[in-house]
Amino acid sequence: MSKTVEFCFDVISPASYIAWHVLPKIAKAAGADLVLTPVFLGGIMQAVDNRPPGTVKAKGAWMRRDLTRWASLYGLPYRRNDTFPQNTLHLMRGCVAFADRPMLQAYVDAAFKALHVDNRNVQTPEGMVAVLQAAGIAPDTFQAAIQDPTVKDKLKANTEDAVARGAFGAPTFFVNGELQFGQDRLWMVAEDLGVNIHAALERA
């Protein structure tokens, strides 16, 4: 029986940024199919009456240190964005639009880097241009793609489906229907796939 891990993500999430770089290595070591499911975190938070942890002052201060350590553990650069949170609806529609196209990897890489390494505000034209230039995508191509009604409907459906299955934030992972949440549960995702995370990363 084939193994599958589904990754529900929004590029605004620094924890999703970490998982984006680590989860493929786990899936490869486990011989599992990795399913990428773009969701809109703002929609999830509203649906389940959640709120960004940074709105709790003490928790936000702790998370900044915690995320820096998690990124360092995996050898990833990380800088907390000064404009946080940001509305990433347009970016996530792009993830849906490019889901089956060759530029997806470069596009998501560029979006994560802009937000969690380069401290960009992707809500500004300058911030979006930086993402698209890094991904090699023409602005006109991007605008046409994210205005497609089927793209908008798909992102909404992805988000509603994730909530229906128990998601309350991002990143959310599903392994054979079992939900795990957060970059600090990647070891559990690995375990659910039948591998040890340390061995998986050494093998990568």
Side-chain angles (χ1 to χ4, degrees), residues 42-54:
I44 291 178
M45 302 288 271
Q46 183 176 16
V48 303
D49 197 27
N50 199 352
R51 58 177 178 155

Side-chain angles (χ1 to χ4, degrees), residues 63-142:
M63 280 197 68
R64 286 193 288 275
R65 298 191 301 272
D66 189 62
L67 287 165
T68 299
R69 293 186 68 177
W70 277 106
S72 178
L73 176 68
Y74 294 118
L76 298 171
Y78 172 71
R79 185 202 188 285
R80 181 182 180 275
N81 198 296
D82 291 335
T83 309
F84 193 87
Q86 296 182 36
N87 188 325
T88 54
L89 183 60
H90 53 315
L91 282 172
M92 296 316 297
R93 285 175 177 168
C95 290
V96 171
F98 303 138
D100 298 319
R101 297 167 71 174
M103 70 274 278
L104 178 67
Q105 179 77 40
Y107 172 74
V108 179
D109 281 345
F112 273 130
K113 185 174 184 293
L115 282 160
H116 306 297
V117 180
D118 296 338
N119 191 33
R120 292 192 180 276
N121 184 346
V122 297
Q123 299 168 127
T124 67
E126 295 81 9
M128 273 307 307
V129 166
V131 171
L132 297 177
Q133 284 183 339
I137 298 171
D140 289 349
T141 299
F142 177 75

